[in-house]
Amino acid sequence: MLSPPFRSAKHPLAAAGPGAAARVELAAAPKRVPEALPQPEAHPPLPAPDSEARWRLLQRLRRQGVDPRPWLERLERGALDPEPDLLATLAVLVDRAGAERLLALARHHGPDGLRQALAQELPGVDGAASAAWLEPLLSACALDPVWLVPLGRCREPRVAQRLREAIAQALEEHPPALQCPPAALIDLLPLLGQQRQGQDAALLISLALDPAPLALRRAALEGLALGLAAWPQAPLGQALARLAQDLDPALAAKAVDLLARLPAGQTLLHRLAPSPLEASVRARLGRRLRFSPLVLLVHGRSGGRIPAELEALAQDLAARRGAPVLLQALTAPAPEADPAFWAAARTAGALTLVPLLLLPGGHVRHDLPAIAERWRCQADGAGVALRRRPFLGAWPAWQRQLAARCAADRQAGLDPLWLHHPLEGHLAARYLGHLRLQLAAPGLATPYSAQACELPLAGPGPVALLPMTLASNRLSETLKAAFPRAADPSQQPPVRLHPPLLQQAPVRQFLIDALEVLP
């Protein structure tokens, strides 16, 4: 007798003959027991200090915003050491209750670890984390002033008042004249600046300027730096300009850096440029200055030709300023500024128009305003300001330079006579009268077409002719041919002709120096 066929799930009808019932009974599959999956450890062990694994774990805790309470419990049980890196991680995770627990731990283990952690974290934490620490630290300071430095990293009026009181007490107990400021005072001054309360500017400025210990002055300057935008700008700028000339190079360099951050800083830095500065401070000043491109408006010669002296002046200025210098001649169409010119203008926020014209003639009164208006329209289109300087002949320093030239002639036994283009109008007459007084020498109206024989040079002694022209022109070339330089320097010719002003080394150097420091 045959045994019944085996009915498998794969072949349920294998033994069913013809006409067999359609009902199929499936054999139940044996149950499979799943393997146990590894569960993440709720509180992983903390790797050894200074290890990469420890750093990665603490970073992960920060990113995930884990509940710090189990970690606090392990610290309170002594299962973990209160290392500063762990405390720094927990400092940004705890709420107010957690902050109080960490402060209680610090009272047991000592404050150094937590103070170090808070010094690292409180300046950069968000508002919620800072708020979590504010009240606990205020309470802790009432018991132990050691917590005043961490408290000072929270910006709040009550904190600022606590800092003022502590600084006043420290200054009373250790006046700056004693030359031994306590370390706590050095720590508190920057924190007072970080509070950014305008009323504290006077104290910080005074301590930075006074002949106090250098560490105290540097701490006060750091306080000014941390609250820079909160202080009254006028006294701040004046104080920083004085500090930039300090005998301590580090203090002076810091002051230069802060001046560069003020809204009117570039103007103050440019005023500082002529001052005697320590070499490294002057180098720092050079890196902080931003010079605007210059447009030098000059007379030019016929056909728009620009004399070589003016071309050389522009090249030297561009090299020394690190910014483009464009020459525009009155006798030629306005030049087109290239993209580099406008890029430099946008960097400096402005371009500067300097009329190198010596007399208030028609060019200054009529042509100059129209030219300035065209540049102003272009500057507005580029989003920069136009700075317009007075014409060169109106500069008091320029007039003093000419007066020195005439004084040197008189000292050499010569009668100075300066030659100027004929002018018309009351303004021109007033200017010429003023210049005669400044130079203590007469002037003579002389057109460009004048010949040497037309000049009234008869007099008791030799004459020094000073043509009022920056560069060579038709008149200067005519006079040069008529009055050649004496072959023997020891001989005194009846007429000594001075070359155009830019060909005279002292005058050219003055102009270079004056134009170089323009903002």
Side-chain angles (χ1 to χ4, degrees):
M1 179 172 157
L2 297 176
S3 61
F6 174 76
R7 297 181 179 181
S8 70
K10 290 184 179 180
H11 305 285
L13 301 179
R23 185 172 61 87
V24 178
E25 293 182 3
L26 298 179
K31 294 184 178 179
R32 306 180 71 182
V33 179
E35 298 180 3
L37 296 177
Q39 297 295 323
E41 189 173 357
H43 311 300
L46 197 59
D50 299 327
S51 65
E52 182 178 356
R54 181 187 180 99
W55 179 84
R56 291 184 182 280
L57 173 62
L58 294 178
Q59 290 299 311
R60 190 171 78 245
L61 296 180
R62 286 170 179 261
R63 288 194 302 270
Q64 294 175 349
V66 300
D67 183 356
R69 288 175 295 182
W71 295 91
L72 292 172
E73 292 170 0
R74 293 168 72 182
L75 284 169
E76 290 164 343
R77 293 198 314 267
L80 288 176
D81 292 328
E83 298 286 349
D85 59 348
L86 175 59
L87 296 177
T89 298
L90 296 177
V92 300
L93 299 174
V94 295
D95 55 12
R96 176 174 173 175
E100 292 171 345
R101 292 172 70 179
L102 284 175
L103 285 167
L105 280 168
R107 285 193 291 272
H108 177 71
H109 293 282
D112 291 346
L114 185 56
R115 290 179 72 231
Q116 179 181 342
L118 294 177
Q120 173 184 332
E121 297 300 335
L122 279 189
V125 298
D126 59 23
S130 180
W133 282 97
L134 176 60
E135 298 299 337
L137 284 173
L138 281 169
S139 300
C141 280
L143 302 174
D144 189 349
V146 74
W147 297 109
L148 187 57
V149 170
L151 175 65
R153 301 181 186 280
C154 302
R155 191 180 303 158
E156 209 259 6
R158 289 177 295 168
V159 176
Q161 183 58 33
R162 289 282 186 95
L163 290 171
R164 290 187 202 106
E165 294 168 356
I167 289 171
Q169 181 179 352
L171 288 173
E172 184 178 354
E173 295 173 355
H174 301 83
L178 296 179
Q179 300 296 312
C180 54
L185 182 58
I186 304 301
D187 293 335
L188 296 181
L189 288 174
L191 297 175
L192 182 64
Q194 189 172 298
Q195 297 299 313
R196 299 180 184 176
Q197 302 283 320
Q199 67 194 81
D200 298 318
L203 173 63
L204 294 172
I205 288 174
S206 174
L207 291 176
L209 289 174
D210 286 349
L214 191 56
L216 186 64
R217 299 180 65 208
R218 289 181 178 176
L221 185 58
E222 181 62 23
L224 290 173
L226 290 171
L228 195 65
W231 317 129
Q233 295 294 288
L236 176 64
Q238 295 170 5
L240 292 176
R242 285 180 56 189
L243 287 170
Q245 303 173 62
D246 197 85
L247 295 178
D248 177 57
L251 197 71
K254 179 76 170 180
V256 168
D257 289 343
L258 295 181
L259 277 171
R261 293 168 51 190
L262 297 183
Q266 285 298 310
T267 300
L268 295 170
L269 289 175
H270 283 282
R271 290 177 185 170
L272 189 63
S275 305
L277 302 175
E278 194 270 340
S280 64
V281 178
R282 179 160 296 282
R284 180 72 64 94
L285 175 65
R287 292 193 294 271
R288 296 293 177 263
L289 284 172
R290 295 195 304 272
F291 291 97
S292 63
L294 295 183
V295 178
L296 303 181
L297 181 63
V298 299
H299 191 283
R301 302 194 65 170
S302 60
R305 183 164 59 91
I306 295 178
E309 302 99 312
L310 290 167
E311 295 279 7
L313 176 73
Q315 292 175 6
D316 289 350
L317 271 176
R320 292 177 65 162
R321 288 172 62 88
V325 177
L326 192 65
L327 286 168
Q328 178 171 352
L330 289 167
T331 54
E336 290 292 334
D338 60 18
F341 179 94
W342 291 112
R346 282 188 287 270
T347 298
L351 64 92
T352 304
L353 175 63
V354 186
L356 296 185
L357 305 174
L358 304 186
L359 302 168
H363 295 312
V364 167
R365 288 175 297 167
H366 306 298
D367 298 334
L368 177 56
I371 291 170
E373 184 58 30
R374 286 197 293 270
W375 279 108
R376 192 182 310 281
C377 291
Q378 294 186 63
D380 289 344
V384 300
L386 174 68
R387 299 188 185 116
R388 176 180 164 183
R389 309 295 296 185
F391 74 97
L392 177 59
W395 297 10
W398 172 257
Q399 296 170 13
R400 290 193 294 270
Q401 188 69 27
L402 298 178
R405 174 72 276 175
C406 292
D409 286 337
R410 284 191 294 271
Q411 194 171 14
L414 301 170
D415 293 330
L417 176 65
W418 47 278
L419 309 178
H420 64 86
H421 191 68
L423 301 177
E424 296 179 354
H426 296 295
L427 175 63
R430 287 174 54 195
Y431 175 83
L432 292 173
H434 167 78
L435 198 58
R436 290 189 190 100
L437 292 176
Q438 294 298 310
L439 274 55
L444 180 64
T446 312
Y448 295 143
S449 58
Q451 299 298 311
C453 60
E454 300 172 8
L455 301 180
L457 300 178
V463 176
L465 289 180
L466 179 62
M468 284 292 177
T469 176
L470 280 179
S472 299
N473 61 13
R474 190 165 26 144
L475 176 62
S476 68
E477 291 172 350
T478 299
L479 295 177
K480 182 178 180 181
F483 305 111
R485 188 178 296 274
D488 184 358
S490 64
Q491 295 180 355
Q492 182 76 286
V495 176
R496 177 185 292 182
L497 175 67
H498 288 300
L501 293 166
L502 275 180
Q503 295 181 19
Q504 301 179 39
V507 178
R508 185 182 192 276
Q509 190 60 49
F510 162 81
L511 198 53
I512 285 280
D513 292 342
L515 294 175
E516 180 187 5
V517 298
L518 290 179

